[in-house]
Amino acid sequence: MADNKSLHEIFEEVGTKTKISDKVSILQHHSSDGIKAILRGAYDTRIDWLVPNTPPPYTPSESPSHDLADSKLEIAAMELGKYANFNGQATNQSRNISQIQRENHFIQLLESLHQSEADLLKNIIKRKLPYKGLTPNLVNQAFPNLLPEDDAQPKK
């Protein structure tokens, strides 16, 4: 990551820009495995989330900023396979974990993140990112072939 912005802050910055090229530039500037994993989690239709997309019972972190929270979403993103199937198959991370363990781990993750990043993660599970202009098409412009072509096409 080029600076110390949270994923939420990066995506908010994308939402403030009107030109597609500016949005793409911001995403590329902050390119990392973590940001790509989060964007795939939100928009890749081959991913089936194995945690409920309803509000989980958790105690939000009282951390005053994302960099003081116990976890950072960009780093935790590399373990999101615990909570998903890919192409109808268990991921290596989700293979030997019970549903109760999975949901408990997910709650612990939410509690370890700054509130803004926990909210972002809950939106990813719902497949909705609340940032203006942050679409599958934009993601594939910034990171070609990150998402299947069908996911990057505008829905008719």
Side-chain angles (χ1 to χ4, degrees):
M1 195 176 222
D3 52 35
N4 200 24
K5 288 185 177 180
S6 70
L7 294 180
H8 167 71
E9 291 167 331
I10 293 165
F11 296 159
E12 272 195 330
E13 184 181 353
V14 166
T16 67
K17 302 301 179 189
T18 53
K19 290 171 50 180
I20 300 282
S21 60
D22 292 341
K23 293 176 185 283
V24 166
S25 178
I26 292 166
L27 290 176
Q28 289 174 340
H29 175 74
H30 295 284
S31 178
S32 68
D33 290 341
I35 199 170
K36 290 176 184 176
I38 291 301
L39 293 168
R40 281 187 70 203
Y43 294 129
D44 192 327
T45 57
R46 298 171 296 181
I47 295 172
D48 295 315
W49 290 107
L50 301 174
V51 290
N53 70 2
T54 54
Y58 77 103
T59 305
S61 167
E62 293 184 9
S63 176
S65 67
H66 82 279
D67 52 342
L68 296 176
D70 293 336
S71 298
K72 291 176 182 44
L73 186 54
E74 184 173 6
I75 295 165
M78 303 317 297
E79 296 185 17
L80 291 182
K82 286 182 195 171
Y83 315 112
N85 282 342
F86 185 77
N87 266 345
Q89 302 293 316
T91 65
N92 288 340
Q93 293 176 337
S94 72
R95 199 163 276 130
N96 296 316
I97 184 171
S98 72
Q99 187 62 21
I100 295 288
Q101 289 172 311
R102 180 178 294 114
E103 290 181 22
N104 283 336
H105 286 171
F106 188 70
I107 288 168
Q108 289 168 358
L109 173 57
L110 288 170
E111 290 178 342
S112 73
L113 295 169
H114 182 264
Q115 186 60 51
S116 64
E117 292 202 312
D119 290 343
L120 173 53
L121 181 55
K122 292 184 294 183
N123 279 306
I124 289 162
I125 302 301
K126 293 179 187 176
R127 299 193 174 280
K128 295 178 187 170
L129 293 184
Y131 306 99
K132 187 175 182 199
L134 186 55
T135 64
N137 194 26
L138 179 75
V139 170
N140 262 4
Q141 286 183 52
F143 308 117
N145 303 314
L146 183 67
L147 303 174
E149 210 46 49
D150 290 349
D151 291 352
Q153 297 304 314
K155 302 294 180 234
K156 308 238 182 234

